[in-house]
Amino acid sequence: MSALNGVRVIELANETNAFAGKLLGDMGADVILIEPVNGEPSRAYPPFVDDQPGDNHSLYFMHYNTSKRSVVLDLDTQAGQDAFKQLIYSSDILLESEPVNRLSDLGLDYKDLVKLQPKLIHAALTPYGRDQALSDLPVTDLTLMASSGPPWSCGYDDHSLPPVRGWGQQAYHTGCHYAFMSILTALLYRNVSGRGQFIDISISAALNVTTEASSYSWLVSGTTVQRQTGRHAATKPTAESQVKCADGRYVNTGVPPRFPEEFGRLLTWLTETGLAEDFPEAVFLDMGANWQGPFDLSLIGEDETITAIFMAGRDALMKIAHSSSAYDFFIGCQNSGLSVGIVYAPEEAFEDEHFQARGFPVEVQHDDLDRTITYPGAPYQLPVSPWSISRRAPHLGEHTTEILAGLATENDEHR
Amino acid sequence: MQGALSHIRICDFTGQLAGAGATKWLAAFGAEVIRIEDPVKEGRWDILRSTPPFIDARRGVNFGGGFNNHNTDKKGITLNLRTDKGKQILTEIIKKSDAVTENFAAGVLDKWGFSYEELKRIKPDIIYVSNCGFGHKGPYSQFKTWGPIVQAVSGLTFSSALPGQPPAGWGYSFMDHTGGYYMAMAIMLALLERDNSGLGQWVDLACTEAGLSLNGPALLDWTVNQRPMRQPGGFNSNRSQFTPMAPHGIYPCSGEDEWIAIACRNDSEWLSLHKIIQDNPQDQAETSWGRQFDHLQNRLDHQDELDQALASWTMQQDKFHLQDCLRQARIPVGAVQKPRERIDEDPTTECFDLWPTIQHSKMGQVRVDGLPARFSETPWQMTHGGPCLGEHTDEILMQLLDKSSDEVEQLREEGVI
């Protein structure tokens, strides 16, 4: 069973929209990647299998193109355009990030294609939108991020250091998340109306509305957030929440204790580890543990007792962090009901027992490399329509013959 | 106007951003999203109900700016699920809903007597989407999270940093936004499955897994080449880690806290930039440098030196002027825009109607985050603000559940709503 069973997607290969194609393919859509004769350039992106560059060795391409088949078509030739139209005839979705006028110049834009396939859903994912000349200027993940909001909020207390871009192609990911959501929405509508449509998605706009309080502080109160080390950018400075533990690794201490049971458990922990002895503020934790009525956080700074208890909770967390490993702090606090996190490198998270137990790492057979490779797995678990990597990323044009021959048959049957 | 999802009704317990962001998308396309909140605690489980920013001096559960932003065009009712009658009303709503959505800690809905098994008994093809940090299964299923905790655990905080510094992380809850996107996807995927097979299901969404899946190539570099991202010397996330590009960074400009991002993907973009530098010498900036950087490998091998030299040139220039120059030369560039600049002064966001003004019942007119997609047949719409506490209780009970006004009055007297 599959949520996107029977949905055929034509994806014009481009690193910008590759992740949206993967999201579709891993949920069961038949994704056909149309590549130019020389292949999509990201086929040559590092890192490589065994650090050896070469055909079908790009781990970057392998990740973003799972569950797809590849067809080589030269859209600048009549034959290529004819084959493309035939593919559209049998397809549900066109996903592309072409220069804004390219498809209309070729006579292959939505207005042309809808005549062949009236139910077509055409999703165009571009840097600034389909009617913006700016979309045709070169961009990278970094430059899109910079002009669209996220880095303004990310970085350090020290503003002589530059704003920081969160790494990992998150600009493209965010655009692709919206492209995928848009396509799912259009499919649900098509199921009840029989109608397709054209969808224009802007990566920059997607990032602009993925900045939390940076946008709505300005929209609501005309205030501007300022970046801070390891915590939310804010309109007024806030207390640190990222701490270096005894093993040199970092944790995020989250929201400090504010409920009696949290103060109680913290005190127990301090006592058990012998840390309470040289922590005179423990007495305030005891008061917090026995607090009656609401613990009104808005009185911090005004009510001496509430302030002292709140500060003791924060200080106790810091004290424990300074004397334990990041992992012990994370597990210990969470077992005490405190929402804290360990700052894992991605590989450390991947190996953590929780994600292993949930089956997050998945094995994909690479017949071409004669080995099995472990991939990051399902972002969501749908038991009736499970996420899965149905095939490794395709070699260039691996399915050209199979698909074009199949088309001839399908279209014959249609006639 | 008919929306793309006007045929869908959601029985919605979500809140904060990770959950509310998901159903905001559905509501913008016409789904009837019925937020169910606790009258005893005045809906304060969603802390954004009463936290800043505020539009004026008024405070309280109906004035949180973030709540309004994330809950546009939803309906809000209050229901005391400690009472049998409250549970009965919820049962009636579930019967008429397509999906039940929540982002509580694992087990909360179960405790109220509405486990997935029970939901299925009420409506056999119901879709149930739960969204919590670590999911409902696995060793950490009882652990609690906020956006920053999810980011820390899933590797995203680590990979936002400058060398020699602690992680900078994301200065906001990127994974509350993104967790909400995955939740919206999960809801819609399950709806499509139901269209196909008639079957409902429980989707167990763990925000940390969604976050971890955003590290794809790095994880393959780990599983295939055993290369960890944690390396001595730290990490510079403003640089390009995989595709070789240099310069590739965020550089200072004139004025206070003004910056610009520049990336050269190849030698020809670098040569264009170099020409601009030569043509626009700046006082005190060393501009005789450059030729040794003509080749990509040299630029990659000496990035610190290159960045320093480039910064000495950029820091005397206006960021928008420099952005124009580099755009003309077709070099990837982006001024780091402040909220005012990207919201009020950037024509590319304006043309998407990205900041619509909605009408909130108490706050009046407020601008909110719109959506970054234009649909030719079924455009999204945002007209109403987030619901005040219990704003639509009477409407839902009377119109959806056919209660009389007397019955509603009695439920109110009994503390059920």
Side-chain angles (χ1 to χ4, degrees):
Chain A
M1 209 66 83
S2 137
L4 301 178
N5 196 26
V7 172
R8 179 173 280 182
V9 180
I10 302 301
E11 177 188 342
L12 295 182
N14 190 311
E15 66 173 307
T16 307
N17 58 35
F19 188 55
K22 172 180 167 66
L23 289 166
L24 285 156
D26 291 345
M27 284 310 296
D30 175 18
V31 180
I32 298 176
L33 191 65
I34 309 280
E35 296 190 74
V37 178
N38 293 329
E40 151 60 24
S42 64
R43 283 186 175 278
Y45 285 1
F48 301 107
V49 176
D50 302 333
D51 292 328
Q52 300 293 315
D55 288 349
N56 307 310
H57 264 222
S58 164
L59 293 168
Y60 182 100
F61 185 85
M62 278 160 57
H63 171 69
Y64 285 110
N65 293 281
T66 55
S67 309
K68 301 179 188 177
R69 296 189 288 168
S70 165
V71 169
V72 168
L73 287 185
D74 182 352
L75 293 184
D76 291 317
T77 66
Q78 189 63 49
Q81 293 170 15
D82 289 346
F84 178 75
K85 285 179 184 166
Q86 283 208 333
L87 278 169
I88 288 294
Y89 194 59
S90 70
S91 294
D92 302 281
I93 291 156
L94 172 63
L95 170 66
E96 52 93 2
S97 299
E98 295 297 297
V100 295
N101 292 320
R102 172 157 163 85
L103 291 182
S104 60
D105 289 349
L106 293 172
L108 299 175
D109 208 356
Y110 178 69
K111 64 180 188 310
D112 312 298
L113 301 175
V114 74
K115 292 173 194 155
L116 302 170
Q117 170 49 291
K119 292 166 79 172
L120 183 70
I121 294 164
H122 177 165
L125 176 67
T126 57
Y128 294 95
R130 238 322 182 81
D131 60 0
Q132 294 288 310
L134 209 53
S135 287
D136 282 349
L137 289 179
V139 291
T140 69
D141 189 85
L142 172 79
T143 64
L144 269 171
M145 281 276 210
S147 54
S148 308
W152 174 255
S153 297
C154 305
Y156 297 96
D157 295 337
D158 176 359
H159 282 198
S160 70
L161 292 168
V164 173
R165 175 213 38 169
W167 177 85
Q169 305 287 64
Q170 307 305 342
Y172 292 148
H173 287 164
T174 301
C176 287
H177 290 147
Y178 272 104
F180 186 49
M181 285 154 69
S182 298
I183 288 168
L184 296 176
T185 304
L187 280 169
L188 284 164
Y189 176 66
R190 200 180 72 160
N191 280 355
V192 291
S193 68
R195 299 171 69 90
Q197 54 187 317
F198 176 76
I199 312 165
D200 174 11
I201 306 125
S202 154
I203 301 171
S204 174
L207 290 167
N208 263 283
V209 295
T210 307
T211 60
E212 210 187 1
S214 170
S215 289
Y216 62 73
S217 294
W218 181 257
L219 292 169
V220 173
S221 57
T223 51
T224 301
V225 299
Q226 303 292 338
R227 62 190 185 277
Q228 311 188 90
T229 305
R231 61 196 187 281
H232 273 44
T235 54
K236 291 178 191 149
T238 59
E240 281 186 273
S241 63
Q242 182 171 269
V243 189
K244 196 182 208 175
C245 287
D247 62 353
R249 300 200 170 187
Y250 287 89
V251 291
N252 188 309
T253 57
V255 181
R258 59 210 162 108
F259 300 114
E261 58 271 26
E262 290 175 339
F263 291 115
R265 285 194 220 108
L266 203 52
L267 183 58
T268 307
W269 190 5
L270 274 179
T271 309
E272 282 171 3
T273 48
L275 293 170
E277 284 167 23
D278 56 342
F279 186 64
E281 297 87 347
V283 60
F284 292 114
L285 295 182
D286 194 41
M287 288 171 71
N290 293 300
W291 192 263
Q292 303 289 324
F295 190 73
D296 190 345
L297 295 178
S298 68
L299 293 178
I300 292 168
E302 287 173 28
D303 181 297
E304 274 185 31
T305 313
I306 284 182
T307 308
I309 292 171
F310 184 78
M311 294 310 290
R314 281 185 49 86
D315 293 347
L317 273 185
M318 296 291 177
K319 190 168 183 62
I320 294 172
H322 289 314
S323 65
S324 40
S325 74
Y327 186 74
D328 287 348
F329 178 81
F330 165 53
I331 298 296
C333 279
Q334 285 282 6
N335 282 334
S336 300
L338 293 168
S339 173
V340 311
I342 181 169
V343 178
Y344 268 148
E347 68 276 3
E348 294 158 359
F350 195 72
E351 301 297 341
D352 183 282
E353 59 162 343
H354 179 74
F355 300 107
Q356 297 279 330
R358 281 178 63 88
F360 183 73
V362 296
E363 309 268 284
V364 176
Q365 187 59 41
H366 275 260
D367 54 315
D368 53 344
L369 300 168
D370 206 19
R371 66 165 102 172
T372 300
I373 290 178
T374 308
Y375 278 67
Y380 25 50
Q381 299 195 356
L382 284 81
V384 178
S385 26
W387 178 100
S388 84
I389 293 176
S390 60
R391 59 172 78 229
R392 59 158 171 78
H395 298 177
L396 177 61
E398 185 175 353
H399 308 93
T400 305
T401 312
E402 159 190 324
I403 288 172
L404 296 186
L407 270 184
T409 318
E410 283 172 26
N411 291 347
D412 279 349
E413 281 166 11
H414 200 81
R415 282 187 200 104
Chain B
M1 193 185 64
Q2 179 78 4
L5 304 176
S6 292
H7 57 298
I8 303 295
R9 181 176 295 122
I10 308 285
C11 172
D12 187 24
F13 288 95
T14 66
Q16 326 293 353
L17 171 56
T23 51
K24 171 178 175 156
W25 171 273
L26 306 177
F29 287 98
E32 183 174 48
V33 176
I34 304 174
R35 268 189 75 102
I36 296 172
E37 298 181 273
D38 180 7
V40 178
K41 293 191 174 165
E42 293 184 309
R44 284 177 199 270
W45 172 76
D46 190 336
I47 58 167
L48 299 181
R49 260 204 170 283
S50 53
T51 50
F54 300 111
I55 194 150
D56 52 30
R58 289 173 293 171
R59 299 290 180 269
V61 294
N62 295 322
F63 295 98
F67 179 87
N68 177 54
N69 192 68
H70 307 327
N71 290 283
T72 43
D73 294 290
K74 300 180 191 175
K75 290 180 176 160
I77 74 166
T78 49
L79 209 49
N80 185 349
L81 294 175
R82 297 167 197 81
T83 66
D84 288 341
K85 283 190 181 169
K87 288 180 180 165
Q88 182 52 40
I89 291 169
L90 178 60
T91 303
E92 291 175 44
I93 294 173
I94 291 168
K95 265 185 197 157
K96 298 192 170 190
S97 296
D98 299 284
V100 176
T101 51
E102 54 99 344
N103 62 316
F104 297 128
V108 168
L109 208 55
D110 201 351
K111 233 180 289 173
W112 291 347
F114 291 90
S115 64
Y116 175 56
E117 289 309 313
E118 179 61 17
L119 296 176
K120 227 170 24 172
R121 201 188 57 72
I122 296 168
K123 187 164 190 283
D125 67 350
I126 196 76
I127 288 159
Y128 168 42
V129 180
S130 59
N131 171 8
C132 70
F134 287 101
H136 282 223
K137 297 158 208 152
Y140 301 164
S141 61
Q142 295 306 307
F143 287 8
K144 294 178 194 157
T145 63
W146 297 90
I149 306 302
V150 170
Q151 286 147 214
V153 174
S154 58
L156 295 168
T157 299
F158 178 88
S159 62
S160 179
L162 295 177
Q165 298 291 333
W170 290 73
Y172 61 99
S173 288
F174 175 71
M175 276 313 298
D176 279 352
H177 276 290
T178 303
Y181 302 157
Y182 276 89
M183 187 176 195
M185 294 170 202
I187 297 165
M188 293 190 284
L189 284 163
L191 287 166
L192 285 164
E193 173 65 52
R194 196 194 57 176
D195 282 354
N196 283 348
S197 66
L199 297 173
Q201 57 187 312
W202 169 18
V203 184
D204 176 20
L205 171 61
C207 264
T208 46
E209 276 177 343
L212 192 47
S213 74
L214 301 176
N215 297 292
L219 290 175
L220 288 184
D221 203 19
W222 166 248
T223 64
V224 174
N225 297 324
Q226 287 80 54
R227 182 177 294 108
M229 276 185 79
R230 190 185 292 276
Q231 298 275 351
F235 186 75
N236 186 338
S237 64
N238 284 350
R239 288 191 177 162
S240 176
Q241 269 65 40
F242 292 140
T243 35
M245 294 188 248
H248 189 283
I250 296 180
Y251 304 91
C253 288
S254 62
E256 192 180 331
D257 213 10
E258 303 286 2
W259 305 85
I260 195 163
I262 299 172
C264 288
R265 298 170 300 173
N266 48 49
D267 285 343
S268 100
E269 285 175 355
W270 163 252
L271 292 173
S272 302
L273 177 58
H274 186 245
K275 181 164 188 324
I276 294 173
I277 294 169
Q278 296 298 315
D279 293 349
N280 298 274
Q282 296 292 321
D283 290 346
Q284 290 138 16
E286 179 61 51
T287 47
S288 57
W289 57 279
R291 292 257 72 99
Q292 73 269 32
F293 293 125
D294 279 359
H295 298 293
L296 175 65
Q297 199 54 53
N298 285 349
R299 294 197 300 280
L300 290 171
D301 290 346
H302 301 98
Q303 277 200 80
D304 289 344
E305 204 183 321
L306 173 64
D307 281 349
Q308 211 176 358
L310 188 54
S312 76
W313 179 75
T314 59
M315 70 193 305
Q316 298 178 55
Q317 315 217 34
D318 174 77
K319 68 178 178 187
F320 287 117
H321 173 73
L322 187 54
Q323 176 173 269
D324 286 344
C325 283
L326 268 60
R327 277 181 175 169
Q328 274 182 9
R330 299 186 70 82
I331 297 163
V333 62
V336 173
Q337 296 208 88
K338 300 177 180 181
R340 173 178 54 80
E341 292 162 344
R342 65 186 172 78
I343 292 171
D344 289 349
E345 296 161 12
D346 185 338
T348 67
T349 61
E350 191 187 315
C351 81
F352 258 75
D353 189 22
L354 200 58
W355 318 106
T357 299
I358 54 80
Q359 185 71 32
H360 182 278
S361 303
K362 288 197 193 309
M363 288 189 235
Q365 295 200 329
V366 192
R367 285 194 295 170
V368 295
D369 286 341
L371 301 178
R374 292 191 288 202
F375 284 57
S376 65
E377 292 288 314
T378 57
W380 55 269
Q381 286 193 310
M382 283 181 201
T383 51
H384 295 92
C388 292
L389 187 69
E391 183 172 347
H392 305 94
T393 306
D394 290 29
E395 175 192 323
I396 295 293
L397 291 184
M398 291 164 73
Q399 291 177 15
L400 182 68
L401 305 183
D402 296 325
K403 307 281 182 210
S404 68
S405 56
D406 287 351
E407 285 173 292
V408 172
E409 215 33 61
Q410 190 170 349
L411 288 168
R412 188 160 281 127
E413 276 167 24
E414 293 171 10
V416 175
I417 55 177

